[in-house]
Amino acid sequence: MKKKRIFWLCGLLAAVVFVSEGMSAAAGSGLLAKEAAASQLQTSNKKDGKEGESGEGSSNKADLSEAEDEISSIRSQRRSAQQRLENLKNDKNDLEAYIRELDENLTEVQEIISRLSTAMDEKQAAIEQTQAAVEQTQADLEAAQETERRQYEAMKLRIQYMYEAGDSEYIELLFEARSLSELLNRTEYITGMMEYDREQLALYQETCRTIHDAEIRLEEEQAVLEKEYAELAQLKEMNEESKTDLETLMGVKNTELGEYTAEINEANEEIENYTRAIKEQEDRIKQIEEKIRRQEEEEARRKKEEEERRRKEAEEEERRRKEEEERRQESIAASIAAEESGGGSETGGSAETNGGSETSGSSETSGGSEANGGSETSGGSETNGSSESGGSGAGGGSEEVPKESFIWPISSTRITSKFGPRKPPIAGASDFHRGIDIGAKSGTDIHAAASGTVVISEYNYSAGNYIMISHGDGLYTVYMHCSKLLVSEGAKVAQGDTIGLVGSTGVSTAPHLHFGVRVNGQYVDPLGYVSVP
């Protein structure tokens, strides 16, 4: 009986194992089929995605290569334009140095002419003084000659009277004396009168000779002065001709300089166009690279999601396998317990029913929590980053620069060119006048319109010798075309101080002062700051 029971239990156990393995195999084959189908679908989708991405990626890479080739070509053209610009700048610098040398020579000639004019004025004054002295001497000579003539006539009358009257009158005059002292006095009177006549005659003759000699000397000095004046006039004429030649040559060179400036502007514009084209290509390359980067990130994300999905499927499969094994073991244990208690068939049925708990699939539905992965979309908190664009930098305004009370910078009040658009008076000059021109004689004093600090005192081929003074708060005054600079960079000047002399250096047609006012980096009309006296 006991052997039968053991054999029966072994047969039941074998049957349960057979049934359990059959169910497990069926479930396993179903799961494998399901996984194969899903894998095939995913592979198909991935293949289609890869083909689309491959085509789009190839197109993007071709566009990137084309853009890089184009930007390389533009850069090569820009390098050629920059080399041409550098050559033009070198030629322009050489020409500017030559013009500066001509300008210095012209200033030197102008100074020589000025000195010659001063010397001629001094000679002319000396000639006029000498002429006045000659005329005065001639008048003195004529007066002395007249006095000599009268004295001579009076003396002739006395001599004639003495000759006609003889010595008897003098003897009578002596005998008529009433005393010896009167006799002696009359004798002395007669002798003194005759001696006086002789001395006066000699004195007037000497005076006439002295005046005559002075007249001759003054006439000689006047001749020398007139000769020197003629020589100075000749030198001045020669220097005036040199000045005219230099001005003509400077005009030609300024025309050439204007042509160089125009070519440089064209080259700069060409380089700017190349630079814009390069930036456009660089932006295009960045867009293509950004697109490729996003595609690569998307590909990496998809790969990561695929790996995560496979990992979760593998974990789920392992969980199901373990649950199935546990249920199988529980079923066997339940069958054995039922056999021992004698109610094996019913309990076996209940065990089978318990096995039905597999269909509850609660663990599978719990996978719905994956759907809750949508919580990743709660990353919308990233939109809070928009608070960074709050733009606290807005609203920053600039304060108005206060105007200082200025004075007119020069004694002349003749404005020859006002602020604003104009027709360039000479090649190389601007068609928008950034100041006012005040015509004045070369060498006229230039005064600081207001107190401040000298920030520039140097030569420039266009502005010539020029000065810039800072008055604070972004306010500056500019004084151009000086013949001489009397202040240096860094010097402190007070309102009205003489800072330079009027000239015609740089791009200029005649001696004048270009006076400008600059506020916060922009030139404004100086007549808004100064008034014509």
Side-chain angles (χ1 to χ4, degrees):
M1 185 71 181
K2 190 173 182 180
K3 286 183 178 180
K4 285 184 178 180
R5 185 179 180 185
I6 292 172
F7 283 130
W8 185 81
L9 286 173
C10 289
L12 180 61
L13 180 61
V16 170
V17 169
F18 176 79
V19 172
S20 177
E21 286 179 352
M23 291 175 62
S24 177
S29 61
L31 183 61
L32 289 174
K34 181 179 177 183
E35 182 178 357
S39 176
Q40 184 176 4
L41 179 61
Q42 182 178 1
T43 303
S44 177
N45 292 335
K46 184 176 180 182
K47 184 176 180 181
D48 293 340
K50 281 185 176 180
E51 287 177 355
E53 290 173 2
S54 175
E56 187 176 358
S58 299
S59 175
N60 290 333
K61 289 180 179 179
D63 292 342
L64 179 62
S65 177
E66 180 183 353
E68 288 175 345
D69 291 342
E70 187 171 352
I71 199 172
S72 176
S73 174
I74 295 173
R75 282 174 176 165
S76 176
Q77 294 174 359
R78 185 176 69 173
R79 282 194 296 271
S80 299
Q82 287 173 337
Q83 182 61 44
R84 183 161 62 87
L85 177 62
E86 189 66 26
N87 294 336
L88 286 171
K89 285 183 176 178
N90 291 335
D91 294 341
K92 181 182 177 183
N93 290 336
D94 293 340
L95 186 57
E96 286 176 356
Y98 183 59
I99 290 176
R100 180 174 181 174
E101 183 180 353
L102 289 176
D103 210 348
E104 291 173 354
N105 292 338
L106 183 60
T107 301
E108 184 178 354
V109 170
Q110 185 66 40
E111 290 177 354
I112 292 173
I113 292 173
S114 179
R115 289 197 298 270
L116 288 173
S117 297
T118 302
M120 288 177 66
D121 292 341
E122 292 174 354
K123 291 293 182 184
Q124 183 63 35
I127 289 172
E128 291 175 357
Q129 291 177 356
T130 303
Q131 181 65 32
V134 169
E135 292 175 356
Q136 182 62 41
T137 301
Q138 288 176 346
D140 293 342
L141 178 60
E142 291 175 358
Q145 288 174 346
E146 179 63 23
T147 302
E148 179 189 19
R149 187 185 62 77
R150 288 197 302 270
Q151 182 69 20
Y152 181 71
E153 290 295 332
M155 188 174 170
K156 281 199 306 182
L157 287 174
R158 281 197 296 273
I159 293 172
Q160 182 180 358
Y161 177 76
M162 290 172 60
Y163 179 78
E164 291 176 352
D167 295 336
S168 59
E169 186 175 349
Y170 285 101
I171 294 172
E172 290 176 0
L173 185 63
L174 292 175
F175 279 114
E176 287 178 357
R178 291 186 294 271
S179 63
L180 180 60
S181 60
E182 186 178 356
L183 175 64
L184 293 175
N185 286 336
R186 289 187 175 187
T187 302
E188 184 177 359
Y189 171 74
I190 294 171
T191 303
M193 187 174 61
M194 296 177 65
E195 183 66 26
Y196 173 76
D197 286 340
R198 285 193 297 271
E199 288 177 356
Q200 286 298 313
L201 180 61
L203 177 62
Y204 286 121
Q205 289 176 345
E206 180 64 25
T207 301
C208 289
R209 283 194 298 270
T210 301
I211 293 173
H212 180 69
D213 293 341
E215 182 181 16
I216 294 173
R217 187 181 73 254
L218 289 172
E219 289 177 350
E220 290 176 351
E221 290 180 359
Q222 184 178 12
V224 171
L225 289 173
E226 290 177 350
K227 181 179 179 182
E228 292 177 353
Y229 183 84
E231 291 175 353
L232 289 173
Q234 185 177 4
L235 286 174
K236 182 179 179 182
E237 183 179 357
M238 292 172 60
N239 280 280
E240 290 285 357
E241 292 176 355
S242 298
K243 178 185 175 183
T244 302
D245 294 340
L246 285 172
E247 288 175 344
T248 301
L249 184 57
M250 281 190 67
V252 173
K253 295 303 178 183
N254 278 323
T255 301
E256 294 179 6
L257 188 62
E259 294 173 354
Y260 275 116
T261 301
E263 291 183 12
I264 287 173
N265 291 336
E266 290 176 0
N268 278 324
E269 185 177 355
E270 185 177 351
I271 290 173
E272 288 176 0
N273 291 335
Y274 285 137
T275 302
R276 282 195 296 271
I278 289 172
K279 187 177 184 306
E280 290 174 359
Q281 291 301 318
E282 287 176 344
D283 292 341
R284 181 185 173 196
I285 288 173
K286 286 180 181 178
Q287 291 174 358
I288 295 173
E289 288 176 343
E290 178 64 19
K291 192 173 183 180
I292 292 174
R293 184 188 65 79
R294 287 197 300 267
Q295 289 176 350
E296 291 175 347
E297 288 178 352
E298 180 67 17
E299 178 65 19
R301 186 186 64 79
R302 288 176 182 176
K303 286 182 179 179
K304 186 176 180 180
E305 289 179 352
E306 176 66 17
E307 291 174 357
E308 182 67 16
R309 186 189 65 77
R310 288 183 179 181
R311 183 185 65 78
K312 288 182 178 180
E313 287 180 352
E315 289 178 352
E316 180 67 16
E317 175 62 24
E318 180 64 19
R319 184 185 64 77
R320 289 177 181 177
R321 189 187 64 77
K322 286 181 180 180
E323 287 181 351
E324 179 65 25
E325 181 65 22
E326 289 176 358
R327 284 195 297 271
R328 189 173 63 83
Q329 293 294 335
E330 289 176 357
S331 178
I332 292 172
S335 298
I336 293 173
E339 176 64 24
E340 288 180 349
S341 62
S345 60
E346 291 181 6
T347 55
S350 65
E352 191 172 345
T353 305
N354 291 337
S357 63
E358 183 181 355
T359 62
S360 64
S362 60
S363 61
E364 288 184 26
T365 58
S366 66
S369 62
E370 270 186 66
N372 295 333
S375 61
E376 290 179 12
T377 61
S378 65
S381 59
E382 287 180 24
T383 58
N384 295 335
S386 62
S387 62
E388 295 179 3
S389 63
S392 61
S398 59
E399 297 182 0
E400 183 180 356
V401 178
K403 297 181 180 178
E404 184 178 354
S405 178
F406 285 7
I407 63 172
W408 192 255
I410 192 173
S411 60
S412 173
T413 59
R414 181 168 55 91
I415 298 177
T416 59
S417 181
K418 293 185 177 181
F419 179 89
R422 65 171 183 179
K423 181 179 180 181
I426 188 173
S430 172
D431 58 358
F432 188 91
H433 200 210
R434 294 176 173 84
I436 59 174
D437 288 344
I438 308 171
K441 184 180 178 182
S442 181
T444 302
D445 290 345
I446 301 172
H447 305 286
S451 59
T453 302
V454 178
V455 294
I456 296 177
S457 179
E458 61 183 27
Y459 178 87
N460 176 274
Y461 86 94
S462 177
N465 295 319
Y466 79 109
I467 299 165
M468 178 180 283
I469 299 177
S470 170
H471 307 288
D473 295 328
L475 183 60
Y476 298 83
T477 52
V478 183
Y479 312 79
M480 296 183 183
H481 308 300
C482 304
S483 63
K484 183 175 290 186
L485 304 174
L486 302 181
V487 291
S488 302
E489 183 177 335
K492 304 289 185 182
V493 296
Q495 188 180 61
D497 283 354
T498 301
I499 58 175
L501 303 178
V502 170
S504 185
T505 57
V507 179
S508 171
T509 58
H512 72 286
L513 169 64
H514 172 96
F515 177 64
V517 176
R518 187 178 175 91
V519 180
N520 294 329
Q522 298 292 330
Y523 282 99
V524 298
D525 190 350
L527 294 180
Y529 287 78
V530 294
S531 299
V532 180

